[in-house]
């Protein structure tokens, strides 16, 4: 992944007045020059690390075109800690089973997702700024194969992108935690590691990330959401982070996974256990190579992603808002 940092950051211009147009162009380059809507491209294999790259590119393009608003999340009192990751999985699953929220995936429709995210702190460093926030709007096809977003100039672009498995795939009987792990694991195994992946990521880490992506970006029926929450404690290395905070300042509790270089959180509400957002940071110093022989070191504890999902609704097409 550090080589990916280098490739992306070295080619990204500093945020200056003169770089405004170049930044917008970089967004298209960062997403492999997706085509405008319509028409839709033919699906290919997913790019597991593209979500991170899209967030960086969108942060850059939108920040220079619309400005960044400084905000502070409202503080909420911490709640009673859960007993452990199994307890968290069970409580989140029971809440999902009782949740009347239902979406029946329909061909041709899209899931609109509005997020609050922490933008990059200083170009071209990968660290996000804990003190600033911006809004990111994306549209995810219900077949799990495409994503659409604004290119920073009011034009929608699409990218062939998805978790590699859909809510419809997971909804086929039997819907159990074991089946969720088996099906997602099979999808992970069938997806070769690409230049956009962290080559050091374990199978367990990739399954954890895929579940995070499914919860945040795909419409899931209640029994699938419940099974995914019960599956998370089954992944070796998953633990609980008490009093986790999303990018909107909402306090919750998190499923936590620590890999060789990064730690990830799937944050849920401590009241009703709905999905709130994500957080990720480096856990070890790591030096990576830049083109031209230069190097850059990312220090342990550097925040790399911080998000809060504010809205998620099914719409007819990209660009529609609920």
């Amino acid at each position: 992944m550090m080589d990916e940092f280098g490739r992306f950051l070295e080619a990204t211009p500093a945020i200056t007045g003169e770089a405004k147009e170049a930044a917008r162009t970089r967004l298209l380059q960062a997403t492999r020059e997706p085509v405008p809507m319509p028409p839709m491209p033919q699906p290919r294999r997913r790019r597991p690390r593209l979500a991170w790259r899209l967030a960086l590119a969108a942060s850059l393009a939108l920040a220079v075109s619309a400005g960044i608003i400084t905000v502070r999340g409202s503080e909420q009192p911490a709640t009673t800690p859960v007993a452990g990751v199994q307890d968290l999985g069970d409580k989140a699953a029971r809440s999902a089973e009782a949740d009347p929220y239902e979406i029946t995936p329909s061909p041709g429709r899209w899931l609109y997702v509005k997020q609050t995210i922490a933008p990059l702190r200083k170009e071209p460093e990968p660290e996000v700024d804990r003190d600033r926030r911006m809004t990111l709007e994306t549209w995810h096809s219900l077949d799990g194969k495409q994503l659409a977003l604004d290119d920073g100039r009011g034009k929608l672009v699409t990218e062939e992108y998805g978790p590699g498995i859909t809510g419809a795939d997971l909804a086929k009987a039997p819907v159990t935690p074991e089946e969720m792990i088996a099906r997602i694991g099979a999808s992970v195994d069938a997806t070769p590691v690409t230049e956009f992946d962290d080559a050091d990521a374990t199978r367990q880490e990739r399954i954890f990330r895929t579940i995070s992506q499914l919860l945040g970006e795909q419409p899931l029926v209640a029994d699938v959401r419940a099974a995914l929450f019960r599956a998370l404690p089954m992944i070796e290395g998953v633990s609980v982070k008490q009093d986790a905070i999303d990018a909107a300042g909402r306090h919750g509790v998190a499923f936590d996974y620590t890999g060789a270089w990064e730690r990830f959180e799937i944050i849920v509400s401590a009241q009703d256990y709905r999905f709130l957002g994500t957080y990720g940071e480096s856990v070890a110093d790591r030096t990576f190579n830049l083109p031209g022989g230069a190097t850059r070191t990312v220090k342990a504890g550097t925040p790399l992603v911080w998000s809060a999902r504010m809205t998620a609704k099914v719409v007819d097409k990209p660009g529609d808002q609920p």
Side-chain angles (χ1 to χ4, degrees):
M1 190 190 79
M2 292 300 116
D3 288 338
E4 176 190 346
F5 276 143
R7 286 189 297 270
F8 180 83
L9 298 175
E10 178 72 8
T12 303
I15 298 179
T16 64
E18 294 76 10
K20 185 174 182 178
E21 190 62 29
R24 289 170 172 162
T25 301
R26 179 57 186 157
L27 170 62
L28 298 182
Q29 294 172 340
T31 57
R32 287 287 184 91
E33 299 182 348
V35 297
M37 288 286 297
M40 299 299 184
Q42 293 299 313
R44 297 194 298 264
R45 285 193 180 275
R46 70 187 178 110
R47 297 172 184 171
R49 294 292 291 171
L50 185 58
W52 174 81
R53 298 169 64 248
L54 283 172
L56 289 182
S59 295
L60 173 62
L62 295 178
V64 298
S65 63
I68 297 176
I69 301 174
T70 300
V71 300
R72 288 290 189 275
S74 58
E75 290 298 323
Q76 301 175 10
T79 57
T80 303
V82 293
V85 68
Q86 189 68 52
D87 184 35
L88 177 59
D90 288 342
K91 287 180 176 178
R94 287 197 299 270
S95 178
E97 290 166 342
D99 190 346
Y101 161 85
E102 287 286 347
I103 293 179
T104 301
S106 303
R109 303 193 77 191
W110 296 68
L111 183 70
Y112 165 79
V113 177
K114 182 178 181 179
Q115 297 182 78
T116 295
I117 67 170
L120 293 176
R121 183 177 183 85
K122 179 182 178 181
E123 279 293 311
E125 302 299 329
E127 179 181 4
V128 298
D129 193 335
R130 298 177 188 269
D131 295 326
R132 295 189 295 169
R133 303 291 183 272
M134 64 169 291
T135 297
L136 178 64
E137 295 176 295
T138 53
W139 290 262
H140 305 262
S141 63
L142 297 198
D143 63 5
K145 296 177 180 178
Q146 290 182 309
L147 174 146
L149 77 166
D150 193 301
D151 68 352
R153 293 180 291 181
K155 184 178 182 180
L156 287 175
V157 293
T158 62
E159 173 65 24
E160 299 165 21
Y161 160 76
I165 190 167
T166 69
D169 296 329
L170 297 174
K172 297 175 183 177
V175 181
T176 65
E178 293 79 9
E179 276 296 313
M180 300 300 101
I181 293 292
R183 294 174 194 176
I184 294 171
S187 175
V188 163
D189 294 341
T191 306
V193 175
T194 73
E195 62 180 301
F196 306 118
D197 292 312
D198 184 348
D200 294 328
T202 64
R203 185 174 189 266
Q204 289 83 1
E205 182 174 333
R206 295 178 70 193
I207 291 174
F208 183 88
R209 290 182 183 178
T210 301
I211 292 177
S212 176
Q213 193 175 350
L214 285 162
L215 290 171
E217 301 173 0
Q218 287 295 304
L220 305 170
V221 296
D223 58 344
V224 170
R225 292 200 308 278
L228 287 174
F229 282 129
R230 289 195 171 102
L232 283 167
M234 298 171 60
I235 301 172
E236 184 179 357
V238 175
S239 60
V240 167
K241 169 71 181 300
Q242 307 286 0
D243 196 24
I245 305 174
D246 73 7
R250 299 175 297 191
H251 289 241
V253 61
F255 296 92
D256 184 282
Y257 183 91
T258 300
W261 302 106
E262 299 176 20
R263 182 177 68 82
F264 303 94
E265 297 176 12
I266 298 174
I267 307 170
V268 298
S269 166
Q271 286 76 42
D272 59 14
Y273 300 100
R274 74 188 185 282
F275 177 85
L276 293 182
T278 62
Y279 176 77
E281 67 178 17
S282 58
V283 295
D285 292 356
R286 191 174 188 184
T287 300
F288 55 96
N289 297 321
L290 296 175
T295 62
R296 178 167 286 118
T297 298
V298 175
K299 296 291 188 179
T302 300
L304 301 174
V305 62
W306 199 13
S307 71
R309 192 178 74 172
M310 309 308 294
T311 303
K313 298 287 185 181
V314 171
V315 295
D316 290 331
K317 63 183 183 300
D320 287 353
Q321 296 181 346

